[in-house]
Amino acid sequence: MKLPAIAIQNRRFTLVVMLLLVTLGIVSLMTMPRSEDPQFTFPATMVRVVYPGTNPLDMEKLIVDPIEEAINELDDIRVLKSDIEDGLAVIRVEFLYGTDPQDQYDDVVAEISKIRDQLPDDIPVLAIDRISPIDVSIIQIALMSESQSYNTLRLTGEKLEKRLERIPGIKKATTEAFPEQQLQVRADLARMQELGIGVEDLISAIQASGVNLPGGHVLAGSRRFTVRTSGDFKDIEAVERTAVVSTPGRVVFVKDIADIAFADALPTYQARFQGTRSIFITVVQRKGSNIFTVMDGIKETLDQFEQELPADINIGIAHDQSESVHERVSQFFNSLIQGLVLVGLLIILFLGARSAIVIILAIPLSVFIGLGWVDLAGYGLQQMSIAGLVIALGLLVDNAIVVTENVHRFLRKGYPRMEAAAKGASQVGWAVISGTLTTILAFLPIMLLQTGAGIFLRSMPVTVILTLLASLIIALSLSPLLASVMLKGHDSKPPLLLRGLQAFTHGPYKAMLSGALRYPVLILMIAVATLAGSIMLAGTLGVSMFPKAEKPMLLVNVELPEGSSFQQTDDAVRQVEDIVKDFPLVRSVVSNIGKDNPRIYYNIFPKRQVPNYAQLVINLNSGQLSEVEPFVETLREEFNRIVGARVVVKELLQGPPYEAPIAFRIMGDDLNRVLTVSRDIEQIIARTPGTVNVDNPLDNPKVDLNITINRDKAAMYGVAISSIDQVIRASLVGVPVSQFRDHSGEDYPIIVKGQSSGRDPQIEDFDRMMVKSASGQLVPVKQLVKLEMQDALPRFQHHLTERMARITADLKAGYQAETVTNAIRAELDQYEWPKGVSYQVGGEQEQREESFDGMTKVLLIALLGIFAVLVLQFNSFSQPLVIFTAIPFAVTGMILALWFAGFTFSFTAFIGLTSLVGIVVNNSIILVDYSNQLRKNGMELREAILEAGQVRLLPILLTTLTTIGGLLPLTLSGSVMWAPMGASIIGGLLVSTLLTLFVVPVLYSLLGKRALD
């Protein structure tokens, strides 16, 4: 290994290169994007279709089936699922991880474009969106006013929206939560009946007069002129003066039979902030931008805009992601700094100030260089990358400790500083490279994991790998250089703790190691018994996926019985607001009536938009689970007292999106059978201990007013079926017939509708409906149709184009999804399933099985990769097997640590286990590598083992202690996300190190001689 000698000989060049790399890192730290959660891409697309007044079965036939059939022809589909309810269909397609999200989105758009003519023409909303965790609103602004009209609020909001979109780093701003403005032509059906005019005549007249048809061009001599025809309506008077019927001596204009005015459409989505009527402006930042820089620009714009507002319009902040980003990043950096201090203290106490300076300098330099490379790799600062830094913190000093301690050993032998630095670093150089490679190989497969969890976590292994590579370069170049300058010769007095450790090494440890070598079978039996006991204990741990998010925010979903009016939903929401507002933990309340809140969390996607549904966002003063979980239980008890509404409190979860912790899909084509079974399964889930908020989409009784047209009678009168449908729709909710553009360029739909006795359509309106026959006579619609009440399905779902009902449930505090799901499955397996109906498990268990399957493959790949590196280094099969014995004992330590701390074996604990595989073998590598060197120099096997154990005890203990010290603050922080991972690594390191100091020498004594020979 010549690199240390080259670095020392060319010290000026070495320093300049390091300075350049560190400067790049510092610049990256100041400029790299910051966010709360990873900004990762997700190959999924969501199609949302709104078609008011259409029942779920018709939505399935007219909308969902054609779209699913088109999308299902695409390649690489992982899952295709649809939610179908009254007037709304949401189709979601997820592609295989690793495929290009933009290409897949483009393919979905192209397929739907091909079949657009098969879908109804009058669909008001057909939106195709990429499901991207990046497109989360970083701020939700409320424009509040009780006195101003919605149109004024909308215009004000759109003005603010345009200003916000000019700020660098903003991708888009959106204004929502207001009713659509329409130019309504309210037909006087009684007056029209007197004049013998049908609704069809009114519709045809406005459609014919509002067509904007280009006139072409005309030549006049040598000049060419574009011909502009009358085009669409320029003002309301033009609509009023449109002739509906024109006969000699009589012209009936629109104004004679209808009132024309601008009005709000029937409410579909309204909002309040802190109890005040509001509209929302949400802002999405561009990928790669810094949230704090963007937020500074937003707040400056809001301050200026607020000064221009009328006195009765106020601005409120319903959501500000930068607050939680600042808190999350600060917490992690605090853990990082505390870990740095602990590591520094340990090194000073054991190696003294001079050695400590050499080693501790490696920490910030490796972090800065690693951050520069992380930035170049396209990742930003968020919880995953900072967690990667915390994991790397304890590991990156390992190399510097091994190198510096070995240089110190050569100095104590009397070598000159330069020679001691070069020889000391060179002697352990390959062992350091091998140890770093094994650690990197443990994290590399996590980086390549093609699952939702793998993509979510990816920036963490990337950060660990790049930071470790930086520490390796520093350990083999800068550390020897600094050691040649900073460290004293053999006459320097070791620190007190080092003297104590040396006394322990040459006394008790030597004696214990000698005893272990005399009784190898006993030592191995003790080790195997310890391992077997821990494996038996593992069954009591339980398995989980990702924990709760610890965000100071709750979602409250309010659902009324099918058929409830928008006003009834609003009344229920006001009851929830009254209950919530008095709790001291509550900071603010955001209410959305008729629709989900705009997207403010990366794994929650708004999709419901129906009159009997509402969602509230409750912002809290604290996200600590010790405060939030009792508060949630209190809210659930309070909400149970609300009559006529189902109120569900939802806590946010970490990790990739899934429906709920507990989810079962009841599959079957016969929806009546599925309904019957789903009610039984709902009861089974509800009575299982630990479940709460059980939801069965089919079991929400719905009654429709079914209209049966008497086709024989209609044919006798010469009335087209489509005319009856058109008259009914126009009379109740209105029919769009044309567009009106005002002087400012705003477009408004012109809606022809009947004059109802109330704001909402009433059943009495059927008495006034008339349809025109072939002879020109008006026929009462009620003569041609039969009205009857009919039970109907409220909503259902598709999974891979098959009909189903998805029954979901949340978990009470203290329960695990695996235990509860398995208890439910045991009952379902005893259930007598009717023919054609079956069940599938979804929720956390489905996600966990997929992710853990991927992680098992990752672990095997890591083990094989590490084994290959060790075979290359030692040119042996038996010695890598000796080194690998550290891994099972690391598992022992991990199980014991999780059991003592009360954690489950979560996904992050699995990450800790995979990390351990690379970390714990390093100690064994150092021990075996030095034993081989001693034996090559002629030392006997037993003496070589004893000497290697004593010489390498200090670096082994120090690297273990510094790794534990680096992770200790994060582990003790109480984070439900990261504490299990920290506990896994710390416990695994402690036990494996203890056993490595005895078991590895024992196995080496049994297998090592043959291996070296």
Side-chain angles (χ1 to χ4, degrees), residues 130-146:
R130 266 183 61 188
I131 300 177
S132 172
I134 300 168
D135 293 336
V136 175
S137 301
I138 59 171
I139 190 169
Q140 183 174 336
I141 303 160
L143 279 183
M144 304 180 290
S145 177
E146 292 289 359

Side-chain angles (χ1 to χ4, degrees), residues 170-190:
I170 287 184
K171 181 178 179 179
K172 65 177 179 181
T174 307
T175 307
E176 50 190 322
F178 55 85
E180 180 189 43
Q181 278 282 296
Q182 302 173 339
L183 182 59
Q184 292 185 355
V185 179
R186 300 192 194 98
D188 185 340
L189 298 180

Side-chain angles (χ1 to χ4, degrees), residues 186 474 592 638 745:
R186 300 192 194 98
I474 286 171
N592 302 267
E638 292 286 334

Side-chain angles (χ1 to χ4, degrees), residues 911-922:
I911 295 292
L913 171 61
T914 311
S915 309
L916 269 175
V917 169
I919 297 168
V920 298
V921 296
N922 289 348

